[in-house]
């Protein structure tokens, strides 16, 4: 028996003991109209003369429409990294007013910075995961992701739980379905991806999980120490914070999708449409660089729940996991749960050969 087979069979034994109903996806939401994006503005602004800009500004200032005035101010705000503390406070107050009005409840926009001496890290027990996708739903609810289902791209989920076939890799299986006499399939000649028939399925909907012949692999942003997404961003809107979390200043994203192409972990999502975020489902506790509402045309991704973790709480997915597969902590603290896992367990990183140095570690006992 190989290491993988051994791991899978033991994992299967554990999983059958903990079989639980899969959590249903949230109910169909209504739509919410959002603002014009910076990209739209830049596009149209390029065709406006200075006088017409000033004229429009005057109109906006005189207007009773508070939201329009706030949007106008947002168009001119600096990249978050370049703002002074006063400018940050102004931007925060502006957004809190805007969101509170838009969602009909008191919304806070946190600007807490990275804490000194903290480098956040994540560990996931790949043997324990039962594929229930509760982490996915908790993440969507906590981080105000788009719930739409009516049009392609309306639904956004930062976490994917891949369902894969459990089993052995056999020559006999490889020959199956291939023209007689041509032997074992290789590379691009393969008619079907033998041994990986379930790979890539992340919208599976069984009544009960774990399933007998499946194994599960949750994936989200790995918060790479050398993030390719940051390297390629032409407007420097995405960057690594001192606590190791890679963030996005949504107001500066131009939606070019360079980062999506560069990320080897399929972690980034583009808001192709206006995000669908029903008022009653909106989480009002937000962070500027985290779960505040996004706009059409900007990219987003997991940020390890900055609105929680910078205040000593666990990410929502860690709290939601019914089998305790997810662990989170400070990599610089040798006694944190995640540091102890790194020291004592069998650990691997996804696509380690790419030298992106993820701070998301998979482990098994
Ligand atoms: S996983 Fe992708 S999005 Fe996340 S930091 Fe790495 S390259 Fe960037
Ligand atoms: S990580 Fe936990 S919550 Fe997510 S699918 Fe696996 S068992 Fe379920």
């Amino acid at each position: 028996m190989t290491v993988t087979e051994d791991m899978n069979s033991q994992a299967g034994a554990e999983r059958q003991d903990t079989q639980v109903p899969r959590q249903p996806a949230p109910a169909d939401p209504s739509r919410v109209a959002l603002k014009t994006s910076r990209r739209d503005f830049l596009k149209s602004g390029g065709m406006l003369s200075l006088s017409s800009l000033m004229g429009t500004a005057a109109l906006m200032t005189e207007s009773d429409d508070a939201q329009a005035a706030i949007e106008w101010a947002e168009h001119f705000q600096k990249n978050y990294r370049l703002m002074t503390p006063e400018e940050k406070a102004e931007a925060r107050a502006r957004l809190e007013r805007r969101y509170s009005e838009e969602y009909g409840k008191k919304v806070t926009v946190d600007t807490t910075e990275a804490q000194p001496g903290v480098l956040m890290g994540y560990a996931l027990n790949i043997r324990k995961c039962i594929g229930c996708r509760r982490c996915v739903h908790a993440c969507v609810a906590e981080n105000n992701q788009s719930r739409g289902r009516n049009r392609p791209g309306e639904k956004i989920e930062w976490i994917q739980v891949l369902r894969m076939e459990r089993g052995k890799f056999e020559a006999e299986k490889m020959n199956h379905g291939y023209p007689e006499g041509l032997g074992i399939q290789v590379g691009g000649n393969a008619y079907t991806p033998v041994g990986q028939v379930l790979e890539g399925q992340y919208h599976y909907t069984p009544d009960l999980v774990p399933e007998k012949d499946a194994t599960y692999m949750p994936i989200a942003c790995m918060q790479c120490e050398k993030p390719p997404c940051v390297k390629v961003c032409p407007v420097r809107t995405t960057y690594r914070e001192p606590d190791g979390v890679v963030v996005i200043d949504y107001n500066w994203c131009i939606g070019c999708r360079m980062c999506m192409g560069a990320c080897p972990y399929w972690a980034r999502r583009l808001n192709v449409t206006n995000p669908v975020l029903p008022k009653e489902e909106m989480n009002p506790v937000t962070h500027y660089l985290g779960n505040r509402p996004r706009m059409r045309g900007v990219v987003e991704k997991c940020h390890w729940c900055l609105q929680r973790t910078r205040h000593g709480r666990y990410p929502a997915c860690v709290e939601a996991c019914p089998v305790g597969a997810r662990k989170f902590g400070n990599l610089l603290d040798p006694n944190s749960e995640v540091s102890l896992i790194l020291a004592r367990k069998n650990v691997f990183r996804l696509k380690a050969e790419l030298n992106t140095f993820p701070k998301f570690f998979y482990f098994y006992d």
Side-chain angles (χ1 to χ4, degrees):
M1 185 178 276
T2 64
V3 173
T4 317
E5 287 167 36
D6 183 42
M7 185 179 136
N8 282 337
S9 62
Q10 288 185 37
E14 279 183 28
R15 286 176 183 135
Q16 299 311 317
D17 293 342
T18 52
Q19 198 171 47
V20 298
R22 190 184 60 82
Q23 195 183 38
D28 271 344
S30 61
R31 291 163 186 277
V32 176
L34 284 186
K35 63 181 185 180
T36 311
S37 71
R38 171 174 291 271
R39 188 181 50 171
D40 293 340
F41 169 75
L42 288 173
K43 252 198 257 165
S44 58
M47 291 180 280
L48 294 174
S49 67
L50 182 61
S51 58
S52 67
L53 275 172
M54 289 172 69
T56 314
L59 278 176
M60 299 289 273
T61 311
E62 287 162 14
S63 167
D64 289 335
D65 186 344
Q67 180 157 325
I70 290 168
E71 283 178 17
W72 184 252
E74 272 181 42
H75 286 311
F76 287 100
Q77 77 191 28
K78 287 185 199 158
N79 186 303
Y80 188 70
R81 272 187 295 179
L82 301 177
M83 286 185 197
T84 63
E86 294 73 33
E87 286 167 335
K88 281 185 183 172
E90 264 175 41
R92 171 190 182 160
R94 201 162 54 225
L95 286 171
E96 286 181 340
R97 277 202 307 279
R98 173 198 174 121
Y99 296 147
S100 298
E101 192 169 307
E102 195 167 316
Y103 293 97
K105 56 178 117 176
K106 182 168 166 41
V107 177
T108 54
V109 181
D110 188 16
T111 50
T112 301
E113 297 189 352
Q115 307 300 302
V118 173
L119 186 66
M120 295 189 193
Y122 209 119
L124 192 147
N125 191 333
I126 195 75
R127 181 176 279 169
K128 275 195 171 173
C129 175
I130 56 171
C132 64
R133 301 183 82 243
R134 289 187 184 195
C135 49
V136 179
H137 301 311
C139 176
V140 169
E142 170 70 26
N143 291 302
N144 291 322
Q145 285 154 46
S146 177
R147 274 83 150 155
R149 298 224 182 100
N150 298 329
R151 283 187 292 167
E154 262 187 349
K155 179 177 173 181
I156 288 187
E157 291 175 346
W158 293 347
I159 302 176
Q160 294 176 34
V161 182
L162 296 182
R163 176 170 71 174
M164 292 178 281
E165 180 189 36
R166 206 166 336 140
K168 290 190 234 165
F169 198 76
E170 296 163 333
E172 194 186 317
K173 224 174 174 185
M174 291 191 70
N175 283 325
H176 179 71
Y178 200 68
E180 202 62 39
L182 290 178
I184 290 177
Q185 303 173 24
V186 283
N189 290 332
Y191 272 40
T192 55
V194 177
Q196 302 181 351
V197 289
L198 297 177
E199 187 166 285
Q201 285 190 352
Y202 51 90
H203 286 138
Y204 54 91
T205 53
D207 292 332
L208 287 178
V209 288
E211 298 151 282
K212 186 168 166 290
D213 297 318
T215 193
Y216 305 96
M217 177 85 178
I219 302 176
C221 175
M222 306 275 160
Q223 317 299 348
C224 307
E225 274 299 282
K226 296 188 177 175
C229 57
V230 169
K231 275 191 201 160
V232 300
C233 177
V235 287
R236 297 284 180 265
T237 193
T238 186
Y239 57 96
R240 180 193 176 283
E241 285 272 279
D243 55 8
V245 177
V246 174
V247 295
I248 301 167
D249 180 348
Y250 306 117
N251 288 89
W252 276 79
C253 177
I254 56 171
C256 67
R257 291 175 281 176
M258 295 286 282
C259 57
M260 292 174 73
C263 173
Y265 303 103
W266 316 287
R268 291 182 167 244
R269 311 276 181 272
L270 175 71
N271 284 281
V272 185
T273 64
N274 284 328
V276 179
L277 180 56
K279 289 182 181 181
E280 63 282 6
E281 291 181 28
M282 192 259 176
N283 174 11
V285 181
T286 75
H287 193 285
Y288 191 100
L289 298 171
N291 62 336
R292 69 181 169 103
R294 278 78 68 187
M295 328 68 159
R296 180 171 62 86
V298 306
V299 167
E300 60 181 64
K301 69 167 189 71
C302 163
H303 44 76
W304 286 349
C305 290
L306 285 184
Q307 66 281 1
R308 288 167 155 250
T309 50
R310 287 195 177 167
H311 296 282
R313 295 183 65 195
Y314 281 130
C317 51
V318 172
E319 282 183 4
C321 180
V323 293
R326 292 174 169 270
K327 308 291 178 188
F328 184 80
N330 181 4
L331 292 168
L332 302 182
D333 173 2
N335 294 316
S336 73
E337 205 170 10
V338 73
S339 293
L340 292 174
I341 287 167
L342 293 190
R344 296 175 185 171
K345 302 289 184 183
N346 297 308
V347 174
F348 67 94
R349 295 198 267 198
L350 202 59
K351 302 192 181 185
E353 73 280 10
L354 297 179
N355 293 335
T356 51
F357 296 93
K359 291 189 293 296
F360 192 105
F361 303 90
Y362 295 93
F363 71 100
Y364 53 96
D365 299 308

